[in-house]
Amino acid sequence: MRTVLYAAVAVVTLTSNSFAQEDCLPVLKSDIVDLSHETETNLVLLERRLQEDESQNSGGLVASYGAFKFNADQARQARSSISSLLNIDYSQKEKTNVYISTFSDNEVTAYIACLRERSDPISHNFVGDILSRDAFFVSINWHPNYTPEGAEQTLVAKVTEGVILESGKISYETKIKDKKSAFFTVKRDRFKGTQIAVSIDGKTELIDVPPKARYRVVPSELEGPRRATNTRETTGDIGWDVCVTLPPEDIDQAIVPNTFDFQFYKSQVGNVRLVTNNPRRETSRSACSHLGIIFNEVWSSYAIVDVAGKIQTFKRIDVTKEESPRPGAAISLTQMPQ
């Protein structure tokens, strides 16, 4: 289907200018990006936020996941881990369209006005979410930098991996006037990527809409192996590195940055100092820190310690299995095969 779509629009002029489009995108607001809901969309927003912070050197907290807050470095690790778990690898055009789908009415107006000034004859935006539902609304805006022949032009839209509800087919035609907009609705299997080609007066706009991930991420916790000591009347630091490591075969989890902690099952000491604030060493797969058990003097000193490391994790769950209908249950339209 994708080959046919390209062939159908090969005779017209492509108008999409990625540089002009990027220049017209509004700067992301400096709110903390919450990765615990609308995760795919917020991963895109977080990437833009990190790029803007890097150029502006603003620093500070930039993202969260539930009660956990992340600075820029931790947010990069969290974004990488979650993207990998969700198998997300969006193209730049797909990321841009996800970002456009989050615009407020005022941002849409300013964005279209900016593109019009840069002589882009066609632009698009979306009315609401484009990832979570099987159907989404597309607004096509016609603002040519020349005087077209006739008061109206024919808009032709074609879609892959879906249908246009207004026609019930993969193609749709309607009329559009200069400086006006036309709307249509695309229905698709949201777990498949979709491409829309729109042609007006020999000019074409290509719109790439990414798939929704087949997984979602939930919080979980993992504890490492326990280790104990029962030591009396010695000197120095007898502590050890406490670690939590995801086994290689566990591909459904990744470590939440900056969540390593000690889990004490016994902690009885005399003339001994426990040091739990040593630096943490973390990757997406492991986290360690040195537990200091420092004997201050030999006489009457003892340490009875039983400890493990614990870490919070991102854990993925297959949403397609969660949404499978029960045997004998009615199948909704969103569950019908495409």
Side-chain angles (χ1 to χ4, degrees), residues 41-143:
T41 298
N42 283 324
L43 285 171
V44 171
L45 297 182
L46 176 57
E47 182 177 5
R48 297 194 67 88
R49 173 74 191 278
L50 290 170
Q51 291 170 347
E52 291 171 5
D53 279 1
E54 192 172 83
S55 62
Q56 299 170 15
N57 196 26
S58 59
L61 297 175
V62 297
S64 67
Y65 180 81
F68 305 113
K69 303 292 190 293
F70 307 128
N71 62 27
D73 288 340
Q74 295 161 352
R76 288 186 183 92
Q77 182 181 330
R79 186 184 71 83
S80 175
S81 295
I82 296 176
S83 296
S84 179
L85 287 172
L86 298 183
N87 289 336
I88 287 178
D89 187 21
Y90 294 163
S91 69
Q92 187 56 51
K93 288 182 67 175
E94 289 173 330
K95 293 176 186 176
T96 298
N97 282 323
V98 172
Y99 184 41
I100 291 172
S101 73
T102 69
F103 288 178
S104 66
D105 291 343
N106 289 338
E107 287 171 332
V108 167
T109 300
Y111 173 64
I112 295 172
C114 176
L115 290 176
R116 184 183 300 132
E117 290 177 0
R118 292 175 180 270
S119 301
D120 283 15
I122 307 175
S123 64
H124 68 274
N125 60 279
F126 306 97
V127 184
D129 179 30
I130 63 174
L131 290 178
S132 298
R133 299 181 178 88
D134 286 340
F136 58 88
F137 299 100
V138 184
S139 172
I140 303 300
N141 315 297
W142 174 233
H143 35 77

Side-chain angles (χ1 to χ4, degrees), residues 134 187-188 190 323 331-338:
D134 286 340
K187 187 178 187 302
R188 62 162 182 167
R190 64 187 183 277
E323 295 177 359
I331 300 177
S332 70
L333 289 177
T334 60
Q335 294 168 329
M336 290 288 287
Q338 301 299 309

Side-chain angles (χ1 to χ4, degrees), residues 87-298:
N87 289 336
I88 287 178
D89 187 21
Y90 294 163
S91 69
Q92 187 56 51
K93 288 182 67 175
E94 289 173 330
K95 293 176 186 176
T96 298
N97 282 323
V98 172
Y99 184 41
I100 291 172
S101 73
T102 69
F103 288 178
S104 66
D105 291 343
N106 289 338
E107 287 171 332
V108 167
T109 300
Y111 173 64
I112 295 172
C114 176
L115 290 176
R116 184 183 300 132
E117 290 177 0
R118 292 175 180 270
S119 301
D120 283 15
I122 307 175
S123 64
H124 68 274
N125 60 279
F126 306 97
V127 184
D129 179 30
I130 63 174
L131 290 178
S132 298
R133 299 181 178 88
D134 286 340
F136 58 88
F137 299 100
V138 184
S139 172
I140 303 300
N141 315 297
W142 174 233
H143 35 77
N145 57 336
Y146 59 90
T147 302
E149 295 183 8
E152 291 184 327
Q153 295 293 323
T154 299
L155 181 157
V156 179
K158 294 179 181 290
V159 62
T160 66
E161 299 296 346
V163 297
I164 298 175
L165 290 183
E166 284 74 6
S167 65
K169 303 176 182 178
I170 65 170
S171 61
Y172 170 66
E173 291 189 13
T174 188
K175 296 295 184 180
I176 190 169
K177 294 182 179 181
D178 185 8
K179 306 293 191 300
K180 298 295 182 180
S181 300
F183 297 85
F184 56 85
T185 313
V186 175
K187 187 178 187 302
R188 62 162 182 167
D189 179 348
R190 64 187 183 277
F191 299 117
K192 294 181 179 179
T194 304
Q195 187 177 73
I196 306 163
V198 177
S199 174
I200 305 173
D201 196 25
K203 310 297 189 296
T204 291
E205 179 92 337
L206 295 179
I207 307 169
D208 292 332
V209 179
K212 181 174 177 59
R214 292 181 176 272
Y215 303 94
R216 67 184 179 93
V217 172
V218 298
S220 188
E221 185 175 282
L222 183 67
E223 186 174 297
R226 289 168 62 172
R227 181 174 170 180
T229 185
N230 187 340
T231 304
R232 299 178 182 275
E233 298 186 347
T234 187
T235 58
D237 184 0
I238 67 164
W240 56 85
D241 285 354
V242 178
C243 295
V244 184
T245 302
L246 290 169
E249 65 273 13
D250 188 350
I251 61 173
D252 293 324
Q253 292 192 90
I255 288 175
V256 179
N258 200 36
T259 60
F260 177 89
D261 203 357
F262 295 100
Q263 176 65 58
F264 286 97
Y265 292 93
K266 286 185 180 179
S267 178
Q268 301 171 18
V269 298
N271 288 324
V272 169
R273 183 162 56 96
L274 290 181
V275 180
T276 60
N277 60 351
N278 286 310
R280 270 59 169 163
R281 306 183 304 279
E282 292 186 358
T283 69
S284 63
R285 305 291 299 173
S286 67
C288 298
S289 182
H290 182 76
L291 173 64
I293 306 176
I294 303 173
F295 281 72
N296 298 314
E297 57 182 76
V298 175

